[in-house]
Amino acid sequence: MMETGSIIGDRCVGPTADRFFESVNPATEAVLARVHDASAEHLDRAVACARDAFGDWHRLPAGERAAHLAAVAEILEERAADLASVETADTGMTIGMTSGGHLPRSIAHFRHFAQEATRITGEAIPLDDAYLSVVERVPLGVVGIITPWNAPLAVMSINVAAALAAGNTCVVKPSERSPVSATLLATAALEAGLPPGVLNVVQGTGAGIGSALVEHPAVPGICFVGGTATGRAVMERAGRRLKRVTLELGGKSPTVVLADADLEAAVDGALLSMFSSNGEVCTAGSRIIVEGPLHERFTEAFVARARAIAVGDPMLAGTEMGPLIDSAHRRRVQDFIAAGMREGARLACGGTPPPDLPAGYYLSPTVLVGVANEMRVAREEIFGPVACILRAPDADQAIAIANDTQYGLSATLWTADTSRGLSLSRRLRAGTVAINSTVVRDIRAPFGGMGGSGVGRVGGRWSIERYTEVKTTTLKVEGLPLPRLGRRNRE
Ligand code: NAD
């Protein structure tokens, strides 16, 4: 069993007999790690370390901050195989997903923001001949970063790398459901030479440490990645203190399949977007809206392929879908399936754990057909392997159904006519849209949601904007005739 501590300054504060919780491997139900259950005092200490480190860190020449971030990327790359295994054991994501997706992305995040650190520039605004205003981006200070359980390293790394590149220092509160890799990342960063206090990790619950971090008076910036309901509460509380808040929240993303789409490609894309990452991904294409004439053939092909997805041990290379994060979450997902059927949807496949996998929190890929957009299964984020197939009479209706949601994170659209696809996609309300592809994320491009899916964007310079304030300094240039107060009575 592993011991996972909090990283506070240069110290790892480990779990103790009276301050610990357990993280369970969802594939085996065995305890993976005993984790430090930090107190409010631990959080205060971590924030104090981050404040102490801030002065030197933000004054470092950008090139030196960049070198530190590149060194973190390097050490993550050396440890990538081990980190991917731990991430799989802690989350249930397949080893293909963690080693081929999450780890390379995490490394790329540090490499990219190492470069971005050196690209932060300002503007000069001449005000006639009299003044010159200099506009700079300055860091916020200590940034609190709260992460979800489904992609811990990838989500932590994009935000930590951007915040540090911009000159901030960080206190990270990982999810208590998959806490291990955050501590490993911060430990590796210290070993790579990152100055102590620049990156701190405080382990604990959302209601305890998460909430205290949001309220902490010495933390002016909050980045929260998680569910929409939690995000709303975070924003309300951070709003009372007028903090800079970035929210990356849930989704109920539409996959729109038009009648002229390439059936095989659309089925491939819809399956990947729905069931990769065990359905536990914010961009999951969980509402599949198919235009009438293709609906029957699409559904038949989609269900046949969903039935054939290889569910099993996420450590095995051939596995396509692993277990859900824990038994409470699997119960919640199954409750959604039951609710959908009560409201009139038909279960085409799945709905129960695979009989050959008695241990672990597995659930077979599930497809509900005959779903109406008013049903709970179509309105709420399930965050599990449950695809809802809806029928649209025509393309206009398909777009209307796609937009009829509180969310707006991502959308995909499948059609043989790409110029019509482009025109229709411009009517989709989503932060990221893909035509004839699953959602592709490039670190230089902005990513984030509209409406209930979030506030702000991450990626490239958009991240830097979230993690900096704009500051204007004005210099007098020459010949400024200032009105001279207080002189008239003396003359
Ligand atoms: P969650 O909202 O339950 O928890 C997220 C984090 O917030 C955890 O670290 C948790 O401990 C903490 N937290 C809980 N209550 C808190 C509170 N009152 N104050 C402060 N922090 C608190 O979400 P989850 O179940 O861990 O993650 C799944 C959700 O995350 C899904 O909705 C998914 O769509 C979303 N997500 C979004 C993105 C994105 O980029 N938009 C990426 C990954 C996951």
Side-chain angles (χ1 to χ4, degrees):
M1 198 203 306
M2 302 173 73
E3 299 265 296
T4 296
S6 295
I7 302 294
I8 301 174
D10 61 356
R11 286 191 54 210
C12 180
V13 182
T16 53
D18 60 335
R19 294 220 74 95
F20 77 95
F21 62 92
E22 291 176 337
S23 186
V24 169
N25 180 332
T28 61
E29 304 186 29
V31 176
L32 174 73
R34 257 166 53 97
V35 187
H36 181 230
D37 187 11
S39 65
E41 291 72 42
H42 291 124
L43 177 66
D44 279 345
R45 247 195 281 151
V47 173
C49 287
R51 278 186 82 167
D52 288 348
F54 174 69
D56 285 346
W57 177 252
H58 90 271
R59 277 193 291 270
L60 269 189
E64 285 182 36
R65 279 205 307 276
H68 277 298
L69 296 182
V72 175
E74 198 113 318
I75 198 164
L76 291 184
E77 194 156 53
E78 283 164 19
R79 298 179 184 184
D82 288 345
L83 285 168
S85 294
V86 168
E87 193 82 320
T88 288
D90 210 13
T91 61
M93 295 293 159
T94 64
I95 194 74
M97 181 54 72
T98 56
S99 65
H102 296 182
L103 260 296
R105 265 172 58 195
S106 303
I107 296 160
H109 292 154
F110 280 97
R111 292 230 160 94
H112 174 81
F113 283 105
Q115 294 177 4
E116 206 70 56
T118 65
R119 287 198 283 255
I120 301 172
T121 56
E123 282 179 46
I125 304 174
L127 303 178
D128 303 325
D129 288 337
Y131 300 98
L132 185 68
S133 286
V134 175
V135 183
E136 318 169 74
R137 290 207 161 268
V138 296
L140 306 178
V142 178
V143 173
I145 296 174
I146 300 174
T147 58
W149 49 263
N150 63 319
L153 269 182
V155 171
M156 175 176 168
S157 59
I158 192 170
N159 288 298
V160 165
L164 299 189
N168 304 281
T169 54
C170 297
V171 176
V172 178
K173 205 301 279 178
S175 170
E176 58 274 44
R177 287 160 125 177
S178 59
V180 179
S181 59
T183 294
L184 294 178
L185 193 162
T187 307
L190 280 174
E191 288 175 36
L194 195 70
V198 168
L199 171 57
N200 306 272
V201 171
V202 183
Q203 299 284 2
T205 61
I209 298 299
S211 193
L213 183 56
V214 170
E215 303 266 358
H216 205 291
V219 178
I222 295 291
C223 169
F224 172 84
V225 188
T228 297
T230 325
R232 195 169 281 129
V234 164
M235 187 152 202
E236 277 171 15
R237 290 205 321 278
R240 282 204 291 271
R241 292 186 179 269
L242 300 180
K243 296 191 179 199
R244 168 76 63 86
V245 184
T246 301
L247 299 175
E248 293 181 57
L249 308 177
K252 192 77 199 174
S253 297
T255 295
V256 176
V257 183
L258 299 185
D260 65 352
D262 174 337
L263 178 62
E264 208 176 320
V267 169
D268 282 344
L271 284 162
L272 196 63
S273 147
M274 180 63 246
F275 294 116
S276 67
S277 301
N278 313 338
E280 298 166 320
V281 61
C282 54
T283 51
S286 51
R287 286 186 304 145
I288 304 171
I289 304 160
V290 190
E291 195 178 352
L294 199 61
H295 177 263
E296 216 162 294
R297 281 170 58 218
F298 177 93
T299 303
E300 198 180 308
F302 185 88
V303 171
R305 292 270 301 279
R307 278 203 177 102
I309 288 174
V311 183
D313 182 353
M315 287 291 183
L316 297 179
T319 299
E320 294 175 318
M321 234 182 76
L324 303 194
I325 187 71
D326 57 26
S327 70
H329 185 54
R330 180 170 66 179
R331 210 171 318 118
R332 179 179 173 276
V333 173
Q334 287 191 281
D335 287 347
F336 264 112
I337 298 168
M341 290 164 67
R342 276 198 306 278
E343 286 188 84
R346 188 172 67 75
L347 184 68
C349 68
T352 50
D356 57 328
L357 294 167
Y361 310 118
Y362 294 95
L363 185 68
S364 295
T366 300
V367 183
L368 290 170
V369 297
V371 173
N373 206 40
E374 295 69 39
M375 294 178 184
R376 258 189 77 204
V377 282
R379 301 213 79 74
E380 294 178 32
E381 184 185 40
I382 299 175
F383 214 57
V386 182
C388 296
I389 302 190
L390 296 86
R391 190 177 194 284
D394 56 35
D396 282 338
Q397 284 295 312
I399 299 294
I401 294 169
N403 285 338
D404 179 17
T405 176
Q406 66 153 320
Y407 298 105
L409 189 59
S410 64
T412 63
L413 188 128
W414 298 83
T415 175
D417 181 345
T418 46
S419 87
R420 178 163 171 256
L422 184 58
S423 144
L424 288 168
S425 80
R426 295 177 73 186
R427 286 159 50 189
L428 286 168
R429 264 192 72 70
T432 303
V433 179
I435 300 172
N436 292 332
S437 162
T438 53
V439 167
V440 176
R441 283 186 66 176
D442 185 294
I443 183 62
R444 292 163 300 180
F447 176 81
M450 300 183 181
S453 290
V455 173
R457 297 290 180 269
V458 295
R461 67 182 167 82
W462 285 273
S463 284
I464 299 297
E465 283 169 14
R466 294 309 290 179
Y467 286 118
T468 48
E469 291 277 11
V470 173
K471 178 177 174 185
T472 306
T473 306
T474 301
L475 290 99
K476 187 192 105 166
V477 178
E478 62 170 337
L480 179 69
L482 277 185
R484 306 187 71 196
L485 299 185
R487 282 188 63 88
R488 202 167 49 181
N489 287 346
R490 274 196 261 140
E491 278 161 5

